Short mmCIF file of all heavy atoms in Angstrom, two decimals:
data_model
loop_
_atom_site.label_atom_id
_atom_site.label_comp_id
_atom_site.label_asym_id
_atom_site.label_seq_id
_atom_site.Cartn_x
_atom_site.Cartn_y
_atom_site.Cartn_z
N ALA A 1328 -68.42 -1.57 14.11
CA ALA A 1328 -69.35 -2.77 14.13
C ALA A 1328 -68.74 -4.01 13.62
O ALA A 1328 -69.17 -5.12 13.96
CB ALA A 1328 -70.60 -2.39 13.28
N ILE A 1329 -67.62 -3.90 12.87
CA ILE A 1329 -67.02 -5.11 12.23
C ILE A 1329 -66.49 -6.07 13.31
O ILE A 1329 -66.95 -7.22 13.35
CB ILE A 1329 -65.98 -4.73 11.21
CG1 ILE A 1329 -66.56 -3.88 10.06
CG2 ILE A 1329 -65.18 -5.91 10.76
CD1 ILE A 1329 -65.50 -3.27 9.08
N PRO A 1330 -65.58 -5.57 14.17
CA PRO A 1330 -65.13 -6.55 15.21
C PRO A 1330 -66.21 -6.88 16.23
O PRO A 1330 -66.20 -8.01 16.77
CB PRO A 1330 -63.92 -5.78 15.88
CG PRO A 1330 -64.19 -4.34 15.56
CD PRO A 1330 -64.83 -4.32 14.24
N VAL A 1331 -67.08 -5.89 16.55
CA VAL A 1331 -68.10 -6.17 17.56
C VAL A 1331 -69.07 -7.29 17.09
O VAL A 1331 -69.28 -8.29 17.77
CB VAL A 1331 -68.95 -4.91 17.84
CG1 VAL A 1331 -70.15 -5.17 18.72
CG2 VAL A 1331 -68.04 -3.87 18.53
N MET A 1332 -69.64 -7.12 15.89
CA MET A 1332 -70.56 -8.10 15.41
C MET A 1332 -69.92 -9.44 15.17
O MET A 1332 -70.49 -10.51 15.32
CB MET A 1332 -71.27 -7.57 14.19
CG MET A 1332 -72.19 -6.36 14.43
SD MET A 1332 -73.01 -5.86 12.90
CE MET A 1332 -73.88 -4.44 13.50
N LEU A 1333 -68.61 -9.35 14.53
CA LEU A 1333 -67.95 -10.60 14.29
C LEU A 1333 -67.66 -11.35 15.54
O LEU A 1333 -67.96 -12.66 15.59
CB LEU A 1333 -66.56 -10.26 13.52
CG LEU A 1333 -65.79 -11.52 13.11
CD1 LEU A 1333 -66.55 -12.32 12.15
CD2 LEU A 1333 -64.47 -11.06 12.54
N GLY A 1334 -67.27 -10.74 16.56
CA GLY A 1334 -66.97 -11.35 17.80
C GLY A 1334 -68.28 -11.95 18.45
O GLY A 1334 -68.22 -13.06 18.96
N ALA A 1335 -69.34 -11.11 18.52
CA ALA A 1335 -70.60 -11.57 19.05
C ALA A 1335 -71.12 -12.77 18.25
O ALA A 1335 -71.60 -13.75 18.87
CB ALA A 1335 -71.63 -10.43 19.00
N SER A 1336 -70.95 -12.79 16.95
CA SER A 1336 -71.52 -13.90 16.12
C SER A 1336 -70.67 -15.14 16.43
O SER A 1336 -71.26 -16.24 16.55
CB SER A 1336 -71.43 -13.57 14.68
OG SER A 1336 -72.31 -12.41 14.43
N LEU A 1337 -69.39 -15.06 16.42
CA LEU A 1337 -68.51 -16.24 16.66
C LEU A 1337 -68.83 -16.78 18.04
O LEU A 1337 -68.78 -18.03 18.24
CB LEU A 1337 -67.04 -15.80 16.59
CG LEU A 1337 -66.58 -15.51 15.12
CD1 LEU A 1337 -65.10 -15.02 15.16
CD2 LEU A 1337 -66.69 -16.74 14.18
N LEU A 1338 -69.10 -15.87 18.98
CA LEU A 1338 -69.41 -16.41 20.32
C LEU A 1338 -70.66 -17.24 20.42
O LEU A 1338 -70.75 -18.28 20.99
CB LEU A 1338 -69.43 -15.24 21.31
CG LEU A 1338 -69.60 -15.53 22.80
CD1 LEU A 1338 -68.37 -16.25 23.32
CD2 LEU A 1338 -69.83 -14.19 23.57
N LYS A 1339 -71.68 -16.71 19.65
CA LYS A 1339 -72.93 -17.43 19.59
C LYS A 1339 -72.81 -18.71 18.89
O LYS A 1339 -73.40 -19.82 19.25
CB LYS A 1339 -74.00 -16.56 18.95
CG LYS A 1339 -74.49 -15.41 19.79
CD LYS A 1339 -75.23 -15.90 21.01
CE LYS A 1339 -75.80 -14.69 21.85
NZ LYS A 1339 -76.49 -15.14 23.05
N ILE A 1340 -72.09 -18.75 17.79
CA ILE A 1340 -71.88 -20.03 16.98
C ILE A 1340 -71.13 -21.10 17.77
O ILE A 1340 -71.55 -22.22 17.81
CB ILE A 1340 -71.11 -19.64 15.73
CG1 ILE A 1340 -71.93 -18.85 14.72
CG2 ILE A 1340 -70.68 -21.01 14.99
CD1 ILE A 1340 -71.24 -18.40 13.54
N ILE A 1341 -70.09 -20.67 18.53
CA ILE A 1341 -69.36 -21.62 19.35
C ILE A 1341 -70.25 -22.17 20.40
O ILE A 1341 -70.20 -23.39 20.72
CB ILE A 1341 -68.11 -20.90 19.99
CG1 ILE A 1341 -67.10 -20.54 18.97
CG2 ILE A 1341 -67.50 -21.72 21.08
CD1 ILE A 1341 -65.98 -19.62 19.42
N LYS A 1342 -71.12 -21.26 21.09
CA LYS A 1342 -71.91 -21.79 22.11
C LYS A 1342 -73.06 -22.78 21.56
O LYS A 1342 -73.44 -23.72 22.20
CB LYS A 1342 -72.62 -20.64 22.86
CG LYS A 1342 -71.65 -19.88 23.73
CD LYS A 1342 -72.37 -18.69 24.47
CE LYS A 1342 -71.39 -18.00 25.37
NZ LYS A 1342 -72.06 -16.88 26.12
N TYR A 1343 -73.48 -22.42 20.33
CA TYR A 1343 -74.54 -23.26 19.68
C TYR A 1343 -73.92 -24.61 19.19
O TYR A 1343 -74.57 -25.67 19.31
CB TYR A 1343 -75.19 -22.53 18.53
CG TYR A 1343 -76.28 -23.32 17.87
CD1 TYR A 1343 -77.55 -23.36 18.45
CD2 TYR A 1343 -76.02 -23.98 16.64
CE1 TYR A 1343 -78.53 -24.16 17.79
CE2 TYR A 1343 -77.07 -24.72 16.03
CZ TYR A 1343 -78.26 -24.76 16.59
OH TYR A 1343 -79.32 -25.53 16.01
N GLY A 1344 -72.62 -24.56 18.69
CA GLY A 1344 -72.05 -25.69 18.12
C GLY A 1344 -72.08 -25.62 16.63
O GLY A 1344 -72.85 -24.79 16.05
N LEU A 1345 -71.35 -26.48 15.93
CA LEU A 1345 -71.23 -26.38 14.49
C LEU A 1345 -72.08 -27.41 13.74
O LEU A 1345 -71.86 -27.78 12.66
CB LEU A 1345 -69.72 -26.55 14.06
CG LEU A 1345 -68.79 -25.46 14.65
CD1 LEU A 1345 -67.38 -25.81 14.16
CD2 LEU A 1345 -69.20 -24.06 14.12
N PHE A 1346 -73.03 -27.94 14.53
CA PHE A 1346 -73.90 -29.00 13.87
C PHE A 1346 -75.27 -28.42 13.50
O PHE A 1346 -76.15 -28.28 14.34
CB PHE A 1346 -74.11 -30.17 14.91
CG PHE A 1346 -72.82 -30.80 15.39
CD1 PHE A 1346 -72.25 -30.42 16.61
CD2 PHE A 1346 -72.13 -31.66 14.59
CE1 PHE A 1346 -71.03 -30.93 17.03
CE2 PHE A 1346 -70.87 -32.17 14.94
CZ PHE A 1346 -70.36 -31.87 16.24
N PHE A 1347 -75.27 -28.03 12.15
CA PHE A 1347 -76.50 -27.44 11.67
C PHE A 1347 -77.18 -28.45 10.73
O PHE A 1347 -76.61 -29.17 9.91
CB PHE A 1347 -76.19 -26.17 10.85
CG PHE A 1347 -75.59 -25.06 11.73
CD1 PHE A 1347 -74.16 -24.97 11.69
CD2 PHE A 1347 -76.38 -24.21 12.44
CE1 PHE A 1347 -73.63 -23.94 12.47
CE2 PHE A 1347 -75.80 -23.16 13.16
CZ PHE A 1347 -74.41 -23.07 13.22
N SER A 1348 -78.47 -28.40 10.69
CA SER A 1348 -79.28 -29.11 9.73
C SER A 1348 -79.23 -28.37 8.44
O SER A 1348 -78.90 -27.19 8.43
CB SER A 1348 -80.66 -29.37 10.17
OG SER A 1348 -81.38 -28.10 10.18
N ALA A 1349 -79.67 -28.97 7.29
CA ALA A 1349 -79.69 -28.35 5.97
C ALA A 1349 -80.64 -27.18 6.04
O ALA A 1349 -80.31 -26.06 5.55
CB ALA A 1349 -80.19 -29.32 4.92
N MET A 1350 -81.78 -27.26 6.69
CA MET A 1350 -82.76 -26.14 6.81
C MET A 1350 -82.15 -25.04 7.58
O MET A 1350 -82.39 -23.84 7.27
CB MET A 1350 -84.08 -26.65 7.50
CG MET A 1350 -85.12 -25.57 7.65
SD MET A 1350 -85.45 -24.62 6.12
CE MET A 1350 -86.39 -25.86 5.22
N GLU A 1351 -81.45 -25.35 8.73
CA GLU A 1351 -80.89 -24.25 9.55
C GLU A 1351 -79.83 -23.52 8.78
O GLU A 1351 -79.69 -22.25 8.83
CB GLU A 1351 -80.29 -24.85 10.85
CG GLU A 1351 -81.34 -25.34 11.81
CD GLU A 1351 -80.72 -26.07 13.00
OE1 GLU A 1351 -79.55 -26.62 12.88
OE2 GLU A 1351 -81.37 -26.16 14.04
N LEU A 1352 -78.96 -24.18 7.96
CA LEU A 1352 -77.99 -23.58 7.19
C LEU A 1352 -78.64 -22.68 6.16
O LEU A 1352 -78.11 -21.58 5.83
CB LEU A 1352 -77.14 -24.62 6.51
CG LEU A 1352 -76.05 -25.31 7.35
CD1 LEU A 1352 -75.31 -26.38 6.61
CD2 LEU A 1352 -75.09 -24.21 7.89
N GLY A 1353 -79.73 -23.16 5.59
CA GLY A 1353 -80.49 -22.39 4.58
C GLY A 1353 -81.06 -21.04 5.12
O GLY A 1353 -80.91 -20.04 4.54
N ILE A 1354 -81.63 -21.25 6.35
CA ILE A 1354 -82.16 -20.01 7.03
C ILE A 1354 -81.09 -19.00 7.29
O ILE A 1354 -81.30 -17.83 7.10
CB ILE A 1354 -82.93 -20.46 8.29
CG1 ILE A 1354 -84.18 -21.23 7.96
CG2 ILE A 1354 -83.26 -19.27 9.17
CD1 ILE A 1354 -84.81 -21.93 9.22
#
C-alpha cells in the first residue's frame, strides 16, 4: 500500500495543483 497510495496521492495533488486555502490545508 505504501507505493500505491503514495503514487495515487501525488497524482491527485499534481492534478489539483498546489494552491490550497488555509481551510483546505486544515481539512
Side-chain angles (χ1 to χ4, degrees):
I1329 297 173
V1331 170
M1332 292 183 185
L1333 182 61
S1336 298
L1337 289 177
L1338 187 63
K1339 288 294 184 183
I1340 290 174
I1341 291 171
K1342 288 181 178 180
Y1343 181 78
L1345 299 177
F1346 303 101
F1347 298 96
S1348 68
M1350 177 55 72
E1351 289 174 339
L1352 284 174
I1354 290 172

